[in-house]
Amino acid sequence: MQEKMWIHNVVALLVLLQLCQNAVLSTSSTFCPPLCQCFSVTTVICSDPLLKAMPANIPSQATALIVIASGLSRITIQEQLGNLTKLVFLKNPVDNVSHEAFKSLKSLEELEISGSHFLVLEAGTFNKLDKLTKLLLNNNKIKLLAPSIFDSLEKLEMLQLRGNMLTNLHRDIFHKLYNLEELNLSSNKLPTIHMSKLSKLKKLDLGLNKIKDLALDTFTGNPQLEILSLMGNQITQISPGIFSQLKNLKELNLRDNDILALSAGLFPSNLKILVLRGNSLVELSYAAFTGLHNLTHLDLSQNLLSSLPAELFHNLSSLEHLDLSENTLQELASTVFRGLLQISVIDLQKNNLTSLEADLFKDQERMTRLNLARNRLENLPYGVFEPLDFECLLQLHGNPWLCDCDLMYLHDWLFFNNNTVVDLSQVHCTNPQPLRGMSLTTLNKEQLVCVNRSISETRNSINQTTSTDSDRQCSLQEANGIIVVKCKLMKCTDLKLDVTFHQSDGRNLNYTLTELWPESDQCFNGTVILTVFP
């Protein structure tokens, strides 16, 4: 994936070079070296596989030099380029950088060497770069860094070492980076991390290493840290108090680890984004997120949660986005979302929910998206969607809907709100068998009947009624989820059948079925069949 991103970036820059070629100043040929493009006397971009050495005759006024996808294997900088503030080597076959490579660049503020192969940096390489604020060394397959290699970079604010092959870092390697605000060590092979006194550090990315354990004092020297990523490691537990010094932490990414449990009070109170996707959480304490009044995004997807404490989210008064998808949730307490007045997105797809409480979304008037797809819902309680805004996007597909009288509420709700349901054509009946595969929007309300409800009472009622009627004899039969009333008529007459269903919520459903005697038929004794439950 990273390789593709590099290729994409290189191609984009090459296209930019081609597009801008015609816009080069007419005098550029007098100062621009071969195989390079000079868009002004201050910006030079060189990109050609034939370029095997640093180009000569680069204008001394140049402040930015960018070398992309060339054949350059060694970096040497002309002494007259002391005005450079930006120097970039991207996707070149550079394999070694000497300690004298940048000695003349005393004004350099930004340096990038990325996309090389098995790059070796000699000790002292950056010793003369006193003004450097950004250093990017990504995707170079660096295996080893000298303990003192960054000691002279006291003004450095951003350091990226993403996508290398580092297996170990000296515990004091960053100890003189007093102004460092962003550190990215993701996609290496570091088993443990020792952080030094980086008091101004704001963003730390340790994702995609092989970290298993974090010492309790790992982040004690980073009080200004705002963004921390530990994604894609092998962390199984987090010690209580490990984040206690991070009073300014706003975003914490713990995705794709193997975390088994969360202790109460683990996360700092200023946290706004917490990602726990793809861990091994089986259950959560009701106090797991206590005190997180500023949290706006919480991702608990792809865990092993089968139930949630009713009070779990009650303190999250600022929560806007909640992702519970791809767990094994079987039920939700009616009060689990109570108090989430700012929530706009709740994702519950790919769980094992079989039912929902009628007042589950009582406080969610600001909801813009609700995902209930791919659960085991057969019906929904009356009024469950009433608190939601009529523009809330809803996903319901992938559930085994039982199209009987208990689905009457959803049928009516879809009639008025079908434009808010995503993939509505995929919302169809699984049962009963005669209705399987039918879209809920194409069903007639009269087809939503409860086959197995009070059959014996209905049969008795029919028998009692017809036993005193000499004009007809009726019987009730049930097979394959269908109830059929057969009446043998002793004279020519129309037949009318009134059916009343008494539901558990106290409401009655009334149906009237009529079979008219065809005027074109001759009058003789026969049998009329009324299919009560099509």
Side-chain angles (χ1 to χ4, degrees):
M1 179 63 73
Q2 290 180 349
E3 184 70 19
K4 290 182 179 179
M5 290 180 64
W6 280 112
I7 294 174
H8 174 77
N9 291 337
V10 171
V11 171
L13 285 169
L14 291 176
V15 171
L16 178 63
L17 287 175
Q18 187 64 36
L19 291 175
C20 295
Q21 188 171 11
N22 296 330
V24 178
L25 298 175
S26 60
T27 59
S28 64
S29 60
T30 63
F31 64 81
C32 197
L35 306 179
C36 297
Q37 298 290 337
C38 301
F39 303 111
S40 69
V41 294
T42 60
T43 302
V44 180
I45 300 179
C46 304
S47 179
D48 196 302
L50 298 177
L51 185 67
K52 303 296 183 180
M54 287 294 293
N57 302 321
I58 295 177
S60 59
Q61 305 98 312
T63 58
L65 173 60
I66 302 172
V67 182
I68 306 172
S70 73
L72 187 69
S73 60
R74 184 171 177 81
I75 297 175
T76 56
I77 305 297
Q78 305 167 25
E79 291 189 4
Q80 67 266 31
L81 296 180
N83 291 322
L84 282 180
T85 59
K86 180 176 181 178
L87 179 60
V88 175
F89 296 94
L90 181 62
K91 206 67 177 178
N92 300 286
V94 176
D95 55 11
N96 180 273
V97 181
S98 74
H99 68 280
E100 295 184 347
F102 309 119
K103 65 179 183 179
S104 62
L105 304 181
K106 297 183 179 180
S107 299
L108 199 65
E109 298 175 0
E110 181 177 344
L111 173 62
E112 177 171 5
I113 307 173
S114 295
S116 300
H117 297 286
F118 299 103
L119 182 66
V120 176
L121 300 173
E122 295 183 8
T125 298
F126 310 117
N127 278 0
K128 302 296 182 179
L129 304 181
D130 299 335
K131 295 184 178 180
L132 201 67
T133 60
K134 294 182 180 180
L135 177 58
L136 286 70
L137 299 168
N138 298 322
N139 301 293
N140 293 308
K141 299 184 179 179
I142 299 173
K143 293 184 176 181
L144 184 65
L145 291 172
S148 61
I149 194 165
F150 304 126
D151 282 3
S152 64
L153 305 180
E154 295 184 3
K155 291 187 178 180
L156 199 66
E157 297 176 358
M158 175 192 293
L159 175 58
Q160 294 187 2
L161 289 160
R162 181 180 69 246
N164 287 289
M165 301 177 68
L166 296 169
T167 58
N168 186 38
L169 291 174
H170 192 276
R171 66 179 304 115
D172 294 329
I173 193 170
F174 307 126
H175 74 136
K176 290 190 177 180
L177 302 182
Y178 306 117
N179 292 289
L180 196 65
E181 296 181 357
E182 178 179 335
L183 176 59
N184 191 328
L185 291 165
S186 63
S187 300
N188 280 279
K189 298 182 179 181
L190 299 167
T192 57
I193 297 292
H194 301 284
M195 299 303 301
S196 300
K197 299 289 183 178
L198 303 179
S199 58
K200 291 190 177 181
L201 193 63
K202 293 183 178 181
K203 182 177 181 179
L204 175 59
D205 191 341
L206 300 171
L208 297 176
N209 282 282
K210 292 188 177 180
I211 301 171
K212 295 182 179 180
D213 300 305
L214 293 169
L216 189 59
D217 61 348
T218 300
F219 306 112
T220 54
N222 319 121
Q224 301 303 316
L225 198 61
E226 295 181 1
I227 301 174
L228 173 59
S229 174
L230 292 162
M231 177 183 73
N233 285 285
Q234 299 172 3
I235 301 170
T236 58
Q237 60 182 359
I238 302 177
S239 303
I242 194 171
F243 304 126
S244 60
Q245 303 297 320
L246 304 181
K247 305 297 184 183
N248 296 297
L249 193 65
K250 294 181 174 62
E251 181 175 340
L252 177 58
N253 189 345
L254 293 165
R255 175 177 175 170
D256 295 330
N257 281 280
D258 198 22
I259 300 171
L260 301 171
L262 303 174
S263 58
L266 182 63
F267 306 111
S269 59
N270 282 329
L271 204 61
K272 289 188 174 182
I273 300 175
L274 176 57
V275 181
L276 290 159
R277 179 184 178 91
N279 279 278
S280 300
L281 296 169
V282 176
E283 60 180 2
L284 293 171
S285 162
Y286 75 93
F289 307 120
T290 298
L292 301 184
H293 303 293
N294 297 302
L295 198 68
T296 60
H297 288 68
L298 177 58
D299 189 345
L300 289 164
S301 62
Q302 292 186 5
N303 278 278
L304 303 172
L305 300 169
S306 59
S307 62
L308 300 173
E311 308 88 351
L312 182 62
F313 308 123
H314 282 194
N315 295 303
L316 307 183
S317 54
S318 299
L319 197 63
E320 299 174 4
H321 189 121
L322 176 59
D323 193 342
L324 291 163
S325 63
E326 297 185 64
N327 280 278
T328 59
L329 295 172
Q330 299 176 10
E331 59 181 3
L332 295 170
S334 63
T335 59
V336 70
F337 302 134
R338 200 60 47 85
L340 300 184
L341 302 179
Q342 305 301 319
I343 199 77
S344 61
V345 176
I346 296 180
D347 194 340
L348 290 163
Q349 69 169 318
K350 294 185 180 179
N351 278 281
N352 294 327
L353 295 172
T354 58
S355 63
L356 300 178
E357 298 292 334
D359 57 348
L360 181 62
F361 306 114
K362 180 179 180 181
D363 292 338
Q364 280 66 68
E365 296 180 359
R366 297 190 177 188
M367 191 105 76
T368 59
R369 180 176 287 273
L370 173 60
N371 195 340
L372 294 168
R374 295 186 174 92
N375 277 276
R376 297 182 180 180
L377 296 170
E378 293 186 342
N379 54 57
L380 293 173
Y382 183 82
V384 67
F385 295 146
E386 298 311 305
L388 304 183
D389 187 276
F390 67 93
E391 294 183 352
C392 175
L393 291 179
L394 184 64
Q395 290 174 265
L396 295 169
H397 60 276
N399 283 285
W401 299 110
L402 174 57
C403 294
D404 63 7
C405 59
D406 288 327
L407 207 65
M408 194 72 68
Y409 166 74
L410 178 59
H411 181 272
D412 291 346
W413 189 89
L414 289 175
F415 180 80
F416 294 101
N417 300 278
N418 59 79
N419 60 319
T420 68
V421 179
V422 180
D423 295 329
L424 181 57
S425 62
Q426 302 301 313
V427 182
H428 49 68
C429 303
T430 299
N431 284 301
Q433 183 66 34
L435 302 181
R436 174 168 293 183
M438 290 188 63
S439 171
L440 266 63
T441 57
T442 62
L443 285 176
N444 294 322
K445 188 173 182 178
E446 289 74 16
Q447 292 175 285
L448 298 175
V449 292
C450 291
V451 174
N452 295 317
R453 186 163 297 173
S454 302
I455 292 177
S456 60
E457 296 178 6
T458 306
R459 181 183 293 113
N460 292 337
S461 176
I462 291 179
N463 290 339
Q464 291 171 4
T465 302
T466 58
S467 61
T468 59
D469 195 331
S470 59
D471 294 334
R472 64 184 68 89
Q473 296 178 358
C474 296
S475 64
L476 183 65
Q477 297 179 354
E478 178 191 2
N480 298 323
I482 301 176
I483 293 179
V484 176
V485 177
K486 290 186 176 181
C487 293
K488 185 176 182 180
L489 304 182
M490 309 308 294
K491 65 177 183 179
C492 300
T493 181
D494 297 336
L495 188 64
K496 180 180 180 183
L497 179 65
D498 292 317
V499 182
T500 300
F501 294 99
H502 304 285
Q503 300 193 106
S504 58
D505 60 3
R507 294 182 302 145
N508 293 333
L509 295 177
N510 298 307
Y511 295 92
T512 298
L513 300 175
T514 302
E515 183 73 16
L516 300 178
W517 193 271
E519 295 181 0
S520 60
D521 288 2
Q522 295 182 354
C523 185
F524 58 86
N525 297 345
T527 300
V528 176
I529 300 176
L530 295 182
T531 304
V532 182
F533 304 99

